[in-house]
Amino acid sequence: MRKPTVALLIPALDEETSLRRLLPDLIAQADEVVVSDGGSTDATVAVSQAAGARVVVGPRGRGGQLNRAAAAAGSDVFLFLHADTELPTDGIERVRQAIRGGALGGGFELAFATDRALLHFGARLINRRTRLTRTPLGDQAQFVTREAFAALGGYRDWPLLEDLDFARRLKAHGPVAILDAKVVTSPRRFERLGVPRTIATNWLIWGLFALGVKPERLARLYR
């Protein structure tokens, strides 16, 4: 089996600072990089193009942005990465190995870029939940083969929870790999809103979603 090519797909909105720092290394690792901008008012587009990434532009909304990035990519595997999240140095090679081993997709474990003990504990809970449910979320760098992505119809164009929905549908579609390596993501939302409040809001949203509340209504609570 030939080595599968991997496209790194990044949804972005006013992420000039993060992309200026991360893109050079990402472009060196991936077969292609596509930044899907959702209407940035800073230099996100210019920084991405200068670094060598392909840029697609459209309305704000992570599901739609991810789908547009996938439509612009030509690789065998799509690896979706948030602009405030760092891959491990061998992350793309680990994705290739998982796909060659028979997985249709999956994700990474997670760590927060912080010294706060409470967030380290939270990351351990997230990783345990991920192992038990086999549903990695968007900030855990979801990946999927081109064929499986097409069969699933991509992401729902929802204001939130598109990553949870996609992970559930992917798990039902075929084998999912949870990689024994961590992506490091920014704790900025936890720091802005407070750790207990953020955790409580997340659990409330997931619980209401499980009860059938529509994502459009949940988006108001999230905001």
Side-chain angles (χ1 to χ4, degrees), residues 77-106:
V77 181
F78 300 150
L79 171 55
F80 300 97
L81 184 71
H82 289 184
D84 63 352
T85 301
E86 297 184 37
L87 283 176
T89 55
D90 61 346
I92 290 178
E93 186 55 38
R94 285 177 178 265
V95 168
R96 289 193 180 104
Q97 291 171 1
I99 297 301
R100 294 179 76 174
L104 295 183

PDB file of all heavy atoms in Angstrom, residues 77-106:
ATOM      1  N   VAL A  77      -6.251  11.781   2.756  1.00  0.00           N
ATOM      2  CA  VAL A  77      -6.704  11.878   4.144  1.00  0.00           C
ATOM      3  C   VAL A  77      -6.854  13.346   4.509  1.00  0.00           C
ATOM      4  O   VAL A  77      -6.008  14.174   4.153  1.00  0.00           O
ATOM      5  CB  VAL A  77      -5.704  11.201   5.105  1.00  0.00           C
ATOM      6  CG1 VAL A  77      -6.204  11.275   6.556  1.00  0.00           C
ATOM      7  CG2 VAL A  77      -5.478   9.746   4.703  1.00  0.00           C
ATOM      8  N   PHE A  78      -7.935  13.655   5.219  1.00  0.00           N
ATOM      9  CA  PHE A  78      -8.166  15.012   5.713  1.00  0.00           C
ATOM     10  C   PHE A  78      -7.872  15.044   7.210  1.00  0.00           C
ATOM     11  O   PHE A  78      -8.447  14.253   7.973  1.00  0.00           O
ATOM     12  CB  PHE A  78      -9.610  15.449   5.486  1.00  0.00           C
ATOM     13  CG  PHE A  78     -10.036  15.448   4.036  1.00  0.00           C
ATOM     14  CD1 PHE A  78     -11.362  15.202   3.696  1.00  0.00           C
ATOM     15  CD2 PHE A  78      -9.126  15.705   3.018  1.00  0.00           C
ATOM     16  CE1 PHE A  78     -11.767  15.220   2.370  1.00  0.00           C
ATOM     17  CE2 PHE A  78      -9.524  15.715   1.686  1.00  0.00           C
ATOM     18  CZ  PHE A  78     -10.848  15.472   1.363  1.00  0.00           C
ATOM     19  N   LEU A  79      -7.010  15.951   7.633  1.00  0.00           N
ATOM     20  CA  LEU A  79      -6.697  16.151   9.047  1.00  0.00           C
ATOM     21  C   LEU A  79      -7.123  17.573   9.407  1.00  0.00           C
ATOM     22  O   LEU A  79      -6.570  18.549   8.900  1.00  0.00           O
ATOM     23  CB  LEU A  79      -5.204  15.947   9.299  1.00  0.00           C
ATOM     24  CG  LEU A  79      -4.635  16.318  10.676  1.00  0.00           C
ATOM     25  CD1 LEU A  79      -5.385  15.594  11.790  1.00  0.00           C
ATOM     26  CD2 LEU A  79      -3.142  15.982  10.739  1.00  0.00           C
ATOM     27  N   PHE A  80      -8.144  17.680  10.260  1.00  0.00           N
ATOM     28  CA  PHE A  80      -8.733  18.972  10.604  1.00  0.00           C
ATOM     29  C   PHE A  80      -8.097  19.493  11.894  1.00  0.00           C
ATOM     30  O   PHE A  80      -8.148  18.824  12.928  1.00  0.00           O
ATOM     31  CB  PHE A  80     -10.246  18.821  10.779  1.00  0.00           C
ATOM     32  CG  PHE A  80     -10.947  18.326   9.538  1.00  0.00           C
ATOM     33  CD1 PHE A  80     -11.251  16.980   9.389  1.00  0.00           C
ATOM     34  CD2 PHE A  80     -11.279  19.194   8.522  1.00  0.00           C
ATOM     35  CE1 PHE A  80     -11.891  16.510   8.246  1.00  0.00           C
ATOM     36  CE2 PHE A  80     -11.917  18.748   7.372  1.00  0.00           C
ATOM     37  CZ  PHE A  80     -12.222  17.400   7.238  1.00  0.00           C
ATOM     38  N   LEU A  81      -7.541  20.682  11.828  1.00  0.00           N
ATOM     39  CA  LEU A  81      -6.794  21.224  12.961  1.00  0.00           C
ATOM     40  C   LEU A  81      -7.270  22.634  13.271  1.00  0.00           C
ATOM     41  O   LEU A  81      -7.304  23.492  12.386  1.00  0.00           O
ATOM     42  CB  LEU A  81      -5.302  21.251  12.625  1.00  0.00           C
ATOM     43  CG  LEU A  81      -4.361  21.711  13.744  1.00  0.00           C
ATOM     44  CD1 LEU A  81      -4.279  20.644  14.836  1.00  0.00           C
ATOM     45  CD2 LEU A  81      -2.972  22.009  13.193  1.00  0.00           C
ATOM     46  N   HIS A  82      -7.629  22.876  14.539  1.00  0.00           N
ATOM     47  CA  HIS A  82      -7.984  24.233  14.945  1.00  0.00           C
ATOM     48  C   HIS A  82      -6.736  25.114  14.933  1.00  0.00           C
ATOM     49  O   HIS A  82      -5.625  24.652  15.205  1.00  0.00           O
ATOM     50  CB  HIS A  82      -8.602  24.218  16.340  1.00  0.00           C
ATOM     51  CG  HIS A  82      -9.963  23.616  16.384  1.00  0.00           C
ATOM     52  ND1 HIS A  82     -10.726  23.573  17.526  1.00  0.00           N
ATOM     53  CD2 HIS A  82     -10.717  23.029  15.416  1.00  0.00           C
ATOM     54  CE1 HIS A  82     -11.890  22.993  17.268  1.00  0.00           C
ATOM     55  NE2 HIS A  82     -11.905  22.647  15.986  1.00  0.00           N
ATOM     56  N   ALA A  83      -6.927  26.384  14.665  1.00  0.00           N
ATOM     57  CA  ALA A  83      -5.794  27.288  14.509  1.00  0.00           C
ATOM     58  C   ALA A  83      -5.034  27.527  15.810  1.00  0.00           C
ATOM     59  O   ALA A  83      -3.892  27.984  15.778  1.00  0.00           O
ATOM     60  CB  ALA A  83      -6.276  28.630  13.941  1.00  0.00           C
ATOM     61  N   ASP A  84      -5.642  27.233  16.950  1.00  0.00           N
ATOM     62  CA  ASP A  84      -4.957  27.417  18.235  1.00  0.00           C
ATOM     63  C   ASP A  84      -4.443  26.104  18.810  1.00  0.00           C
ATOM     64  O   ASP A  84      -4.176  26.010  20.010  1.00  0.00           O
ATOM     65  CB  ASP A  84      -5.892  28.101  19.238  1.00  0.00           C
ATOM     66  CG  ASP A  84      -7.124  27.264  19.576  1.00  0.00           C
ATOM     67  OD1 ASP A  84      -7.343  26.220  18.921  1.00  0.00           O
ATOM     68  OD2 ASP A  84      -7.874  27.646  20.487  1.00  0.00           O
ATOM     69  N   THR A  85      -4.281  25.095  17.961  1.00  0.00           N
ATOM     70  CA  THR A  85      -3.882  23.758  18.419  1.00  0.00           C
ATOM     71  C   THR A  85      -2.618  23.308  17.700  1.00  0.00           C
ATOM     72  O   THR A  85      -2.486  23.488  16.487  1.00  0.00           O
ATOM     73  CB  THR A  85      -5.024  22.755  18.162  1.00  0.00           C
ATOM     74  OG1 THR A  85      -6.194  23.197  18.865  1.00  0.00           O
ATOM     75  CG2 THR A  85      -4.650  21.372  18.660  1.00  0.00           C
ATOM     76  N   GLU A  86      -1.692  22.714  18.444  1.00  0.00           N
ATOM     77  CA  GLU A  86      -0.421  22.254  17.884  1.00  0.00           C
ATOM     78  C   GLU A  86      -0.407  20.730  17.783  1.00  0.00           C
ATOM     79  O   GLU A  86      -0.758  20.024  18.734  1.00  0.00           O
ATOM     80  CB  GLU A  86       0.747  22.711  18.753  1.00  0.00           C
ATOM     81  CG  GLU A  86       0.906  24.211  18.845  1.00  0.00           C
ATOM     82  CD  GLU A  86       2.133  24.607  19.639  1.00  0.00           C
ATOM     83  OE1 GLU A  86       3.162  23.910  19.532  1.00  0.00           O
ATOM     84  OE2 GLU A  86       2.055  25.607  20.382  1.00  0.00           O
ATOM     85  N   LEU A  87       0.034  20.237  16.632  1.00  0.00           N
ATOM     86  CA  LEU A  87       0.225  18.801  16.443  1.00  0.00           C
ATOM     87  C   LEU A  87       1.532  18.352  17.088  1.00  0.00           C
ATOM     88  O   LEU A  87       2.489  19.125  17.162  1.00  0.00           O
ATOM     89  CB  LEU A  87       0.297  18.465  14.954  1.00  0.00           C
ATOM     90  CG  LEU A  87      -0.981  18.411  14.135  1.00  0.00           C
ATOM     91  CD1 LEU A  87      -0.618  18.163  12.680  1.00  0.00           C
ATOM     92  CD2 LEU A  87      -1.910  17.332  14.634  1.00  0.00           C
ATOM     93  N   PRO A  88       1.614  17.085  17.526  1.00  0.00           N
ATOM     94  CA  PRO A  88       2.925  16.550  17.893  1.00  0.00           C
ATOM     95  C   PRO A  88       3.812  16.502  16.652  1.00  0.00           C
ATOM     96  O   PRO A  88       3.319  16.486  15.519  1.00  0.00           O
ATOM     97  CB  PRO A  88       2.606  15.147  18.421  1.00  0.00           C
ATOM     98  CG  PRO A  88       1.269  14.807  17.862  1.00  0.00           C
ATOM     99  CD  PRO A  88       0.536  16.097  17.693  1.00  0.00           C
ATOM    100  N   THR A  89       5.126  16.472  16.861  1.00  0.00           N
ATOM    101  CA  THR A  89       6.052  16.557  15.732  1.00  0.00           C
ATOM    102  C   THR A  89       5.874  15.418  14.738  1.00  0.00           C
ATOM    103  O   THR A  89       6.136  15.582  13.548  1.00  0.00           O
ATOM    104  CB  THR A  89       7.497  16.575  16.232  1.00  0.00           C
ATOM    105  OG1 THR A  89       7.722  15.429  17.072  1.00  0.00           O
ATOM    106  CG2 THR A  89       7.772  17.841  17.037  1.00  0.00           C
ATOM    107  N   ASP A  90       5.440  14.260  15.215  1.00  0.00           N
ATOM    108  CA  ASP A  90       5.213  13.119  14.321  1.00  0.00           C
ATOM    109  C   ASP A  90       3.731  12.879  14.082  1.00  0.00           C
ATOM    110  O   ASP A  90       3.321  11.782  13.699  1.00  0.00           O
ATOM    111  CB  ASP A  90       5.850  11.853  14.893  1.00  0.00           C
ATOM    112  CG  ASP A  90       5.273  11.448  16.255  1.00  0.00           C
ATOM    113  OD1 ASP A  90       4.567  12.286  16.876  1.00  0.00           O
ATOM    114  OD2 ASP A  90       5.523  10.314  16.691  1.00  0.00           O
ATOM    115  N   GLY A  91       2.911  13.913  14.274  1.00  0.00           N
ATOM    116  CA  GLY A  91       1.464  13.733  14.215  1.00  0.00           C
ATOM    117  C   GLY A  91       0.960  13.259  12.863  1.00  0.00           C
ATOM    118  O   GLY A  91       0.122  12.347  12.784  1.00  0.00           O
ATOM    119  N   ILE A  92       1.446  13.838  11.797  1.00  0.00           N
ATOM    120  CA  ILE A  92       0.962  13.459  10.468  1.00  0.00           C
ATOM    121  C   ILE A  92       1.392  12.048  10.121  1.00  0.00           C
ATOM    122  O   ILE A  92       0.614  11.274   9.539  1.00  0.00           O
ATOM    123  CB  ILE A  92       1.433  14.483   9.419  1.00  0.00           C
ATOM    124  CG1 ILE A  92       0.675  15.803   9.643  1.00  0.00           C
ATOM    125  CG2 ILE A  92       1.216  13.974   7.998  1.00  0.00           C
ATOM    126  CD1 ILE A  92       1.057  16.917   8.731  1.00  0.00           C
ATOM    127  N   GLU A  93       2.590  11.671  10.515  1.00  0.00           N
ATOM    128  CA  GLU A  93       3.029  10.298  10.264  1.00  0.00           C
ATOM    129  C   GLU A  93       2.196   9.306  11.069  1.00  0.00           C
ATOM    130  O   GLU A  93       1.883   8.201  10.586  1.00  0.00           O
ATOM    131  CB  GLU A  93       4.504  10.146  10.611  1.00  0.00           C
ATOM    132  CG  GLU A  93       5.089   8.784  10.238  1.00  0.00           C
ATOM    133  CD  GLU A  93       4.888   8.440   8.767  1.00  0.00           C
ATOM    134  OE1 GLU A  93       4.977   9.338   7.900  1.00  0.00           O
ATOM    135  OE2 GLU A  93       4.624   7.255   8.479  1.00  0.00           O
ATOM    136  N   ARG A  94       1.810   9.661  12.275  1.00  0.00           N
ATOM    137  CA  ARG A  94       0.928   8.785  13.068  1.00  0.00           C
ATOM    138  C   ARG A  94      -0.432   8.612  12.388  1.00  0.00           C
ATOM    139  O   ARG A  94      -1.015   7.521  12.425  1.00  0.00           O
ATOM    140  CB  ARG A  94       0.747   9.350  14.480  1.00  0.00           C
ATOM    141  CG  ARG A  94       1.950   9.158  15.390  1.00  0.00           C
ATOM    142  CD  ARG A  94       1.705   9.822  16.737  1.00  0.00           C
ATOM    143  NE  ARG A  94       2.784   9.630  17.660  1.00  0.00           N
ATOM    144  CZ  ARG A  94       2.836   8.668  18.591  1.00  0.00           C
ATOM    145  NH1 ARG A  94       1.840   7.812  18.689  1.00  0.00           N
ATOM    146  NH2 ARG A  94       3.856   8.566  19.416  1.00  0.00           N
ATOM    147  N   VAL A  95      -0.928   9.678  11.788  1.00  0.00           N
ATOM    148  CA  VAL A  95      -2.194   9.578  11.058  1.00  0.00           C
ATOM    149  C   VAL A  95      -2.039   8.621   9.881  1.00  0.00           C
ATOM    150  O   VAL A  95      -2.893   7.752   9.642  1.00  0.00           O
ATOM    151  CB  VAL A  95      -2.647  10.972  10.586  1.00  0.00           C
ATOM    152  CG1 VAL A  95      -3.801  10.857   9.585  1.00  0.00           C
ATOM    153  CG2 VAL A  95      -3.062  11.832  11.775  1.00  0.00           C
ATOM    154  N   ARG A  96      -0.958   8.762   9.137  1.00  0.00           N
ATOM    155  CA  ARG A  96      -0.717   7.841   8.012  1.00  0.00           C
ATOM    156  C   ARG A  96      -0.687   6.395   8.486  1.00  0.00           C
ATOM    157  O   ARG A  96      -1.263   5.499   7.852  1.00  0.00           O
ATOM    158  CB  ARG A  96       0.599   8.195   7.329  1.00  0.00           C
ATOM    159  CG  ARG A  96       0.594   9.490   6.535  1.00  0.00           C
ATOM    160  CD  ARG A  96       1.831   9.569   5.658  1.00  0.00           C
ATOM    161  NE  ARG A  96       1.855  10.797   4.885  1.00  0.00           N
ATOM    162  CZ  ARG A  96       2.634  11.844   5.163  1.00  0.00           C
ATOM    163  NH1 ARG A  96       3.453  11.790   6.195  1.00  0.00           N
ATOM    164  NH2 ARG A  96       2.583  12.920   4.401  1.00  0.00           N
ATOM    165  N   GLN A  97      -0.004   6.135   9.585  1.00  0.00           N
ATOM    166  CA  GLN A  97       0.096   4.769  10.091  1.00  0.00           C
ATOM    167  C   GLN A  97      -1.270   4.216  10.491  1.00  0.00           C
ATOM    168  O   GLN A  97      -1.579   3.047  10.249  1.00  0.00           O
ATOM    169  CB  GLN A  97       1.052   4.726  11.283  1.00  0.00           C
ATOM    170  CG  GLN A  97       2.508   4.983  10.907  1.00  0.00           C
ATOM    171  CD  GLN A  97       3.406   5.145  12.116  1.00  0.00           C
ATOM    172  OE1 GLN A  97       2.959   5.056  13.271  1.00  0.00           O
ATOM    173  NE2 GLN A  97       4.674   5.411  11.886  1.00  0.00           N
ATOM    174  N   ALA A  98      -2.103   5.070  11.112  1.00  0.00           N
ATOM    175  CA  ALA A  98      -3.438   4.626  11.517  1.00  0.00           C
ATOM    176  C   ALA A  98      -4.285   4.262  10.305  1.00  0.00           C
ATOM    177  O   ALA A  98      -4.997   3.241  10.310  1.00  0.00           O
ATOM    178  CB  ALA A  98      -4.125   5.717  12.339  1.00  0.00           C
ATOM    179  N   ILE A  99      -4.203   5.055   9.257  1.00  0.00           N
ATOM    180  CA  ILE A  99      -4.979   4.779   8.051  1.00  0.00           C
ATOM    181  C   ILE A  99      -4.460   3.505   7.371  1.00  0.00           C
ATOM    182  O   ILE A  99      -5.254   2.650   6.943  1.00  0.00           O
ATOM    183  CB  ILE A  99      -4.926   5.981   7.090  1.00  0.00           C
ATOM    184  CG1 ILE A  99      -5.569   7.220   7.734  1.00  0.00           C
ATOM    185  CG2 ILE A  99      -5.609   5.637   5.773  1.00  0.00           C
ATOM    186  CD1 ILE A  99      -7.015   7.059   8.133  1.00  0.00           C
ATOM    187  N   ARG A 100      -3.161   3.362   7.301  1.00  0.00           N
ATOM    188  CA  ARG A 100      -2.608   2.145   6.691  1.00  0.00           C
ATOM    189  C   ARG A 100      -2.938   0.908   7.527  1.00  0.00           C
ATOM    190  O   ARG A 100      -2.987  -0.203   7.002  1.00  0.00           O
ATOM    191  CB  ARG A 100      -1.091   2.288   6.532  1.00  0.00           C
ATOM    192  CG  ARG A 100      -0.689   3.366   5.542  1.00  0.00           C
ATOM    193  CD  ARG A 100       0.801   3.523   5.407  1.00  0.00           C
ATOM    194  NE  ARG A 100       1.382   2.449   4.610  1.00  0.00           N
ATOM    195  CZ  ARG A 100       2.660   2.419   4.251  1.00  0.00           C
ATOM    196  NH1 ARG A 100       3.493   3.381   4.644  1.00  0.00           N
ATOM    197  NH2 ARG A 100       3.121   1.436   3.506  1.00  0.00           N
ATOM    198  N   GLY A 101      -3.199   1.115   8.832  1.00  0.00           N
ATOM    199  CA  GLY A 101      -3.585   0.009   9.701  1.00  0.00           C
ATOM    200  C   GLY A 101      -5.057  -0.353   9.632  1.00  0.00           C
ATOM    201  O   GLY A 101      -5.494  -1.279  10.313  1.00  0.00           O
ATOM    202  N   GLY A 102      -5.837   0.373   8.826  1.00  0.00           N
ATOM    203  CA  GLY A 102      -7.235   0.011   8.632  1.00  0.00           C
ATOM    204  C   GLY A 102      -8.257   0.970   9.196  1.00  0.00           C
ATOM    205  O   GLY A 102      -9.461   0.787   8.978  1.00  0.00           O
ATOM    206  N   ALA A 103      -7.821   2.016   9.920  1.00  0.00           N
ATOM    207  CA  ALA A 103      -8.784   2.985  10.454  1.00  0.00           C
ATOM    208  C   ALA A 103      -9.330   3.862   9.335  1.00  0.00           C
ATOM    209  O   ALA A 103      -8.618   4.198   8.384  1.00  0.00           O
ATOM    210  CB  ALA A 103      -8.127   3.855  11.517  1.00  0.00           C
ATOM    211  N   LEU A 104     -10.593   4.241   9.454  1.00  0.00           N
ATOM    212  CA  LEU A 104     -11.188   5.202   8.526  1.00  0.00           C
ATOM    213  C   LEU A 104     -10.984   6.635   8.992  1.00  0.00           C
ATOM    214  O   LEU A 104     -11.135   7.571   8.215  1.00  0.00           O
ATOM    215  CB  LEU A 104     -12.691   4.933   8.372  1.00  0.00           C
ATOM    216  CG  LEU A 104     -13.088   3.615   7.722  1.00  0.00           C
ATOM    217  CD1 LEU A 104     -14.600   3.538   7.577  1.00  0.00           C
ATOM    218  CD2 LEU A 104     -12.411   3.434   6.372  1.00  0.00           C
ATOM    219  N   GLY A 105     -10.642   6.791  10.262  1.00  0.00           N
ATOM    220  CA  GLY A 105     -10.438   8.114  10.819  1.00  0.00           C
ATOM    221  C   GLY A 105     -10.167   8.012  12.299  1.00  0.00           C
ATOM    222  O   GLY A 105      -9.924   6.930  12.829  1.00  0.00           O
ATOM    223  N   GLY A 106     -10.244   9.159  12.983  1.00  0.00           N
ATOM    224  CA  GLY A 106     -10.001   9.158  14.415  1.00  0.00           C
ATOM    225  C   GLY A 106      -9.587  10.517  14.918  1.00  0.00           C
ATOM    226  O   GLY A 106     -10.012  11.551  14.400  1.00  0.00           O
TER     227      GLY A 106
END
